[in-house]
Amino acid sequence: MLMNLFQIFVSALLILVVLLQVKGSGFGAALGGMSGGSVYRTKRGLERTLFQATILLVIVFIFVSFLSVQWQ
């Protein structure tokens, strides 16, 4: 039961972080288009933090999912 609640919490955080990333890039970039006309640019500041948080939360979500399957 506790593992399921933790998984719901992590998934809600993951959804929030992904939505914050898409909001900053615009609708065209969210669909795969180029934003700003640049081919390559580095992530800085909050954008980089959100990107790293997304990766971390995906790893935690997958790990918790495997643990919850093992415990049932």
Side-chain angles (χ1 to χ4, degrees):
M1 177 71 177
L2 183 63
M3 196 61 103
N4 291 338
L5 291 175
F6 185 65
Q7 189 173 15
I8 291 170
F9 178 72
V10 170
S11 65
L13 281 177
L14 185 59
I15 290 169
L16 179 69
V17 170
V18 168
L19 286 176
L20 285 173
Q21 280 184 353
V22 172
K23 183 179 180 183
S25 63
F27 186 69
L31 295 178
M34 301 292 284
S35 64
S38 63
V39 176
Y40 178 78
R41 65 181 186 92
T42 60
K43 296 178 186 339
R44 295 184 182 173
L46 183 61
E47 184 180 8
R48 182 175 181 178
T49 304
L50 286 174
F51 180 72
Q52 291 172 343
T54 303
I55 293 172
L56 178 68
L57 286 171
V58 166
I59 292 170
V60 170
F61 182 79
I62 291 171
F63 183 71
V64 169
S65 298
F66 281 131
L67 284 180
S68 67
V69 167
Q70 294 295 325
W71 284 5
Q72 289 183 0

